[in-house]
Amino acid sequence: MTTTNRPEAAPAVEQAEQHAAEAEQALTAMEERVRDGDEDVTPAQLAEARELGRFARLRAEAARRKAERAAAKAAEKERARLTARAVTLVEQDADPAAVATAYEQARTALAALVAAVTTHDNALRQAAHLLRQADAPPITHYVPVQRGEHKFEEVQHAPASRTAPTVEQGDSAALSLETGRTRNAVGTGPTLATLLAETAHQHDVAMPAGESAFTAAPIGDHAHRHADAIRRFLDTATQQTPEGTK
């Protein structure tokens, strides 16, 4: 919150300062008349003008101090409001235990995803190996095609069925049980990378100031920098009492 040494002048302060300025001008004019030899100005009038000017300055100072006290009181009230709001936010929404619970749930879900992908990919690799041993034909083949005067070969999917599958040659985990539909291994790494990238795109996945965006650096780099701090946070969070005492 920005503060200044002098609060913005209130109407009462401006009025008091105007009166002080007018009294100062009146005194100056009266003193000038005396210097010019005006014998109608008496010492009593001059003294009264001085006292009126001094009193007006005191009233202006009083008004300014009153405004400063009011501004200070308002500033203190605003500080108290902001502080109370900050404390409320921490107590209501900053819940390390909830973060730790969600972290464990996400880790369990990711482990299940990795296991499902691994099972899927291993089944395809083993099935492809068996089909190659059984001399299953390749998934695609070249078919001569003539269009007008031009002859060329066009890649087409070979007929495939559950009783006559086709398989990618080499070591690829790709096969087909239905013409035109190829089944491929997906890979745990690509699956996790895609999931994390989609999450970062759909949600506000923030990194500390000055660091690369979440998707702009290898996951290992981010983990190397922050794994210890995250682990300490989670360890502390799971040690909280039921009442949430840190």
Side-chain angles (χ1 to χ4, degrees), residues 88-231:
T88 298
L89 283 172
V90 171
E91 292 179 343
Q92 291 184 351
D93 297 336
D95 189 348
V99 174
T101 298
Y103 184 94
E104 289 303 318
Q105 291 173 343
R107 183 160 64 179
T108 300
L110 286 177
L113 174 61
V114 170
V117 172
T118 299
T119 299
H120 171 272
D121 289 359
N122 286 342
L124 284 176
R125 291 189 185 95
Q126 294 174 22
H129 178 69
L130 292 173
L131 290 175
R132 282 189 286 268
Q133 286 183 323
D135 294 325
I139 294 175
T140 59
H141 58 180
Y142 292 93
V143 178
V145 176
Q146 182 167 350
R147 293 178 180 172
E149 298 179 355
H150 301 285
K151 294 182 179 181
F152 57 92
E153 290 186 331
E154 184 178 75
V155 178
Q156 294 183 0
H157 286 275
S161 65
R162 290 174 55 83
T163 57
T166 56
V167 65
E168 190 73 38
Q169 302 306 303
D171 296 327
S172 173
L175 55 87
S176 178
L177 304 180
E178 179 184 349
T179 304
R181 181 183 178 188
T182 302
R183 302 194 182 191
N184 296 279
V186 63
T188 53
T191 301
L192 289 178
T194 301
L195 175 61
L196 293 176
E198 288 179 350
T199 301
H201 178 72
Q202 296 170 359
H203 302 276
D204 182 17
V205 179
M207 296 301 297
E211 291 197 15
S212 300
F214 179 74
T215 56
I219 296 299
D221 289 354
H222 292 312
H224 178 72
R225 293 189 184 96
H226 303 291
D228 289 344
I230 296 298
R231 177 48 55 193

Side-chain angles (χ1 to χ4, degrees), residues 13-57:
V13 176
E14 293 178 351
Q15 184 178 15
E17 289 180 344
Q18 179 64 29
H19 288 167
E22 291 173 354
E24 185 81 19
Q25 292 172 0
L27 174 61
T28 299
M30 188 174 292
E31 289 176 339
E32 192 62 27
R33 287 171 58 191
V34 174
R35 293 189 185 96
D36 288 341
D38 188 344
E39 296 181 355
D40 291 335
V41 179
T42 65
Q45 291 174 328
L46 194 61
E48 182 180 4
R50 288 197 182 97
E51 288 301 315
L52 288 175
R54 184 171 182 274
F55 182 73
R57 288 193 297 274

